[in-house]
Amino acid sequence: MKGRNSFYIVVITVVATLGGLLFGYDTAVISGADKSIQAFLIEGLGLNSLAHGATISSALIGCIFGGGISGLLASKLGRKKTLLLAALLFFVSALGSGNPEFLFFTKGEPTMGLLYMFNFYRVIGGIGVGLASAVSPMYIGEIAPADIRGRLVALNQFAIIFGMLVVYFVNWGIASGQSLEWINSIGWRRMFISEAIPAGLFGVLLFFVPETPRYLALKNQDDKALSILTKINGAEHAKLIFNDIKQSVEHHSGKLFSYGKLVIIIGILLSVFQQFVGINVALYYAPRIFESMGAAKDASLMQTVVMGLVNVVFTVVAILTVDKWGRKPLLMVGSIGMAVGMFAIGALSFMEVIGIGTLIFIIVYTASFMMSWGPICWVLISELFPNKIRGKAVAVAVAAQWAANYFISSTYPAMMEFSGGLTYSFYGLMSVLSFIFVWKLVPETKGKTLEEMEYLWKK
């Protein structure tokens, strides 16, 4: 488009997606350190599997809290300063989780106080994840021109998956060729501390990107807002967009339900379905799933790497198609693919058939999610809500997402003990319901400006 500064848009987007990369990095770094934490802190203190589970998932508590306060902070401090705070929390969590003895405890001596301190640092990192998961896509959505907004916000999901992939290799590199004793005393610490590098880079680069023009308009900083819009879109288009933004922020109270309840319900259900289809079970428990289906330990880890590559490839498919096909078609096709994958895995589980077929259907399921609900849910959450309520509404949706994530992840082991076939069939049923939900309730947002979405909800 004439006057558009594409290079500037890409640079800003890449900086913002570092929040997504850290989201993926922080949630996956625990996978490499899990057994060392168990040996050093849990078994070292004679604690049970309940304490182990609570310690490994403690960051999720921070995620729910961070998601919940993201709207308040994004509205009060601004989108950019909230991301700076997230970067600081990631940095502190990385150093603290790797050296929880700092100042108060003797290094290498497991105590209950040390366990609490480790969990404290993990919760701090979780708050950073909660903030970044809400505000990174919001920031990109508010900066991006309407016709390319979908693929730019979808890049954030790519960054999350890429962050997970990077940390798998970092953990492997740290542990490679080392004794178990070294990994259990030093290696796991380096895994956590490694996160300080991308966290520090994220914090520094954020000083060089602007605040979003929508937030500046909300705060009546009109000259700054128009200047940034001009730099992104060119002078002619900037004035038209600016006038639309000012109209949208001047005629509404900004209360959460001031556009009705439906828009909030749709945001929450998008988040809940994204988790209830069972994706984090597939991501968190992949090696265990493959082992339980008869794969040897090394083979199960190889199959997990295969899934990681599938995640990346099909997230790229979503990025390339979201602004051509639209959000609804991708979500509906993804729901069908996920339902086929999960119902097939459920049927194979009932028949106790284990083999390459199971792997194929897990790949069908994961590929379907990664080209649809993975990135597109974040795209819609960043663009569904009108300007005046976006901060609050995104916070509600993201908090619901982390709560649903925690519920699904924590109930999976008990559900599997009861019946593997029924467990996977439940996720298949959720995939079918997600299709009906999108078909009946979710509006198409392709090509619409964020201000045009406001007129839709006014109707």
Side-chain angles (χ1 to χ4, degrees):
M1 194 177 281
K2 192 182 173 186
R4 179 181 291 174
N5 190 340
S6 298
F7 178 74
Y8 184 59
I9 296 165
V10 169
V11 169
I12 293 171
T13 301
V14 169
V15 173
T17 58
L18 281 174
L21 184 137
L22 282 157
F23 167 177
Y25 201 108
D26 194 87
T27 50
V29 70
I30 196 77
S31 65
D34 178 10
K35 287 186 176 169
S36 300
I37 297 296
Q38 186 176 3
F40 173 54
L41 278 175
I42 306 303
E43 291 169 5
L45 292 167
L47 299 173
N48 60 17
S49 59
L50 204 65
H52 179 216
T55 298
I56 296 307
S57 59
S58 59
L60 279 175
I61 304 298
C63 293
I64 297 168
F65 181 71
I69 63 167
S70 63
L72 178 69
L73 294 178
S75 299
K76 296 284 183 190
L77 302 178
R79 287 42 165 157
K80 178 179 166 176
K81 284 181 181 171
T82 304
L83 287 176
L84 274 166
L85 176 60
L88 178 64
L89 293 171
F90 283 129
F91 190 79
V92 170
S93 172
L95 297 181
S97 300
N99 186 24
E101 295 95 341
F102 180 66
L103 290 181
F104 304 110
F105 302 96
T106 307
K107 194 152 190 171
E109 277 186 26
T111 63
M112 285 306 294
L114 186 62
L115 179 69
Y116 296 141
M117 208 66 201
F118 174 79
N119 279 296
F120 170 74
Y121 285 121
R122 288 297 294 151
V123 169
I124 283 178
I127 295 170
V129 171
L131 292 176
S133 67
V135 183
S136 282
M138 189 196 305
Y139 179 92
I140 298 165
E142 289 188 310
I143 286 277
D147 61 317
I148 57 169
R149 188 175 59 238
R151 74 190 81 155
L152 292 183
V153 177
L155 275 173
N156 193 61
Q157 173 72 16
F158 178 82
I160 295 168
I161 297 300
F162 187 68
M164 289 179 170
L165 209 57
V166 166
V167 80
Y168 289 145
F169 282 106
V170 169
N171 286 349
W172 176 77
I174 289 168
S176 183
Q178 301 289 351
S179 69
L180 190 61
E181 195 175 36
W182 182 88
I183 294 166
N184 285 350
S185 62
I186 296 165
W188 67 271
R189 297 173 184 276
R190 293 190 180 175
M191 292 174 189
F192 285 113
I193 289 168
S194 69
E195 191 182 341
I197 296 166
L201 182 66
F202 183 42
V204 169
L205 291 176
L206 279 169
F207 283 103
F208 299 97
V209 300
E211 181 52 89
T212 75
R214 265 96 184 172
Y215 175 76
L216 292 170
L218 275 168
K219 296 297 176 185
N220 295 313
Q221 296 181 39
D222 294 357
D223 291 345
K224 283 186 182 177
L226 188 56
S227 168
I228 293 160
L229 284 168
T230 303
K231 199 168 181 183
I232 292 169
N233 300 284
E236 191 183 327
H237 291 289
K239 282 174 186 167
L240 292 170
I241 297 167
F242 178 74
N243 290 335
D244 277 350
I245 293 170
K246 284 309 284 182
Q247 271 189 314
S248 78
V249 300
E250 280 170 2
H251 302 300
H252 245 276
S253 68
K255 289 180 180 173
L256 186 62
F257 294 110
S258 57
Y259 290 86
K261 291 177 183 172
L262 183 63
V263 60
I264 307 300
I265 291 167
I266 289 173
I268 291 170
L269 287 177
L270 274 168
S271 291
V272 169
F273 274 121
Q274 194 207 36
Q275 299 302 318
F276 270 49
V277 295
I279 186 60
N280 278 321
V281 165
L283 294 179
Y284 293 163
Y285 294 100
R288 291 188 189 192
I289 289 171
F290 291 125
E291 278 183 58
S292 72
M293 289 172 172
K297 186 81 177 175
D298 289 349
S300 74
L301 286 171
M302 178 54 70
Q303 287 166 350
T304 308
V305 171
V306 169
M307 278 180 63
L309 294 172
V310 168
N311 293 349
V312 170
V313 169
F314 281 88
T315 302
V316 171
V317 170
I319 292 166
L320 296 176
T321 56
V322 62
D323 286 319
K324 291 178 186 172
W325 298 356
R327 286 57 161 155
K328 281 188 79 158
L330 278 175
L331 286 178
M332 289 162 75
V333 168
S335 292
I336 293 167
M338 291 188 303
V340 168
M342 275 301 183
F343 281 130
I345 296 164
L348 290 169
S349 189
F350 277 125
M351 294 185 288
E352 296 185 3
V353 175
I354 295 163
I356 193 73
T358 311
L359 177 61
I360 288 167
F361 283 116
I362 285 183
I363 288 172
V364 166
Y365 165 81
T366 310
S368 299
F369 179 88
M370 290 300 164
M371 62 163 280
S372 61
W373 281 85
I376 308 305
C377 177
W378 292 112
V379 172
L380 279 167
I381 285 173
S382 74
E383 61 190 11
L384 264 182
F385 306 114
N387 286 326
K388 269 267 184 158
I389 65 166
R390 186 171 300 116
K392 295 173 189 171
V394 168
V396 169
V398 171
Q401 190 173 85
W402 284 111
N405 178 337
Y406 188 76
F407 175 78
I408 289 293
S409 304
S410 59
T411 54
Y412 172 75
M415 286 172 71
M416 283 298 290
E417 264 183 42
F418 180 73
S419 167
L422 282 176
T423 301
Y424 298 122
S425 298
F426 170 78
Y427 302 138
L429 175 64
M430 289 298 114
S431 302
V432 172
L433 292 177
S434 71
F435 175 90
I436 296 166
F437 160 66
V438 173
W439 175 36
K440 292 288 188 185
L441 285 178
V442 177
E444 181 54 76
T445 57
K446 182 183 86 165
K448 290 184 172 73
T449 66
L450 297 178
E451 289 64 48
E452 283 172 329
M453 290 307 300
E454 179 156 336
Y455 304 133
L456 172 85
W457 299 116
K458 275 182 179 174
K459 288 177 193 172

